[in-house]
Amino acid sequence: MVARGLIVAGTLAASLVGGQRDARSEDLDDGVRFKSVGLQGNPLGFAIGRYSADIEYLPAPHHALHLTPVGTYALPGTDDQLTGFGAEVGYRWYSGALGPHGVFVGGSFLAGELEYIHGAVVGLPLDQPDDTKYVSLGGALDAGYQVIVLGNLAVGAGAGVQYTIDTVEPHFEYASHPWHDLLFGWGLRPRALLSVGAAF
């Protein structure tokens, strides 16, 4: 009789502990919800006049599709101006399973319609003003890390390379600004990523 009572008491105690453990697990699961949408901007673009907003959608854990509208308004030379718009469309794989979080690698297609206005530099008799409208097409590969903190704040950083071709090559003002071919020119170029935004 005593043995039977101990068995019943032990069974009840085990079920109560198990029930509390399951309840805690459910509470934890409810507190960490899968985030399928990310909205970020790249503050580094302000340094070169390339303004963008990255929109990510994760149809399943680890897999993100992203669209990045891009607007350009840059002053790369003394009398030069680069304006236009474009977009990037691509894919990212994230190591985290709860949204756009963790180590990421990805690739994207790039397209843009731009206008480069080059003003003649004073003191260079062979330098002529030039207004060039062109289309830029290419692709990019990126890698980095993004973290979601404080519930919805998404912050990430990374680096990559891109390769673009221009339908017409603009006339850059090399004399006073030797870096703008690296920042705005066609061919193989480095990319720096810094993203700040939110995940939902």
Side-chain angles (χ1 to χ4, degrees), residues 79-157:
D79 296 308
D80 288 10
Q81 179 177 300
L82 178 65
T83 60
F85 63 92
E88 295 187 21
V89 179
Y91 165 84
R92 274 186 185 175
W93 178 87
Y94 282 96
S95 63
L98 297 175
H101 173 84
V103 175
F104 67 81
V105 292
S108 56
F109 295 102
L110 291 67
E113 185 175 7
L114 302 165
E115 181 177 13
Y116 193 97
I117 300 172
H118 170 65
V121 178
V122 177
L124 294 178
L126 298 179
D127 191 28
Q128 298 296 320
D130 187 20
D131 184 355
T132 307
K133 294 182 180 180
Y134 61 99
V135 172
S136 179
L137 300 171
L141 296 173
D142 300 310
Y145 184 82
Q146 183 162 283
V147 62
I148 300 173
V149 295
L150 303 176
N152 296 97
L153 177 63
V155 180

Side-chain angles (χ1 to χ4, degrees), residues 19 22 32 34 52 81 89 112 134 154 179 200:
D22 291 342
V32 183
F34 175 69
S52 63
Q81 179 177 300
V89 179
Y134 61 99
W179 286 102
F200 305 96

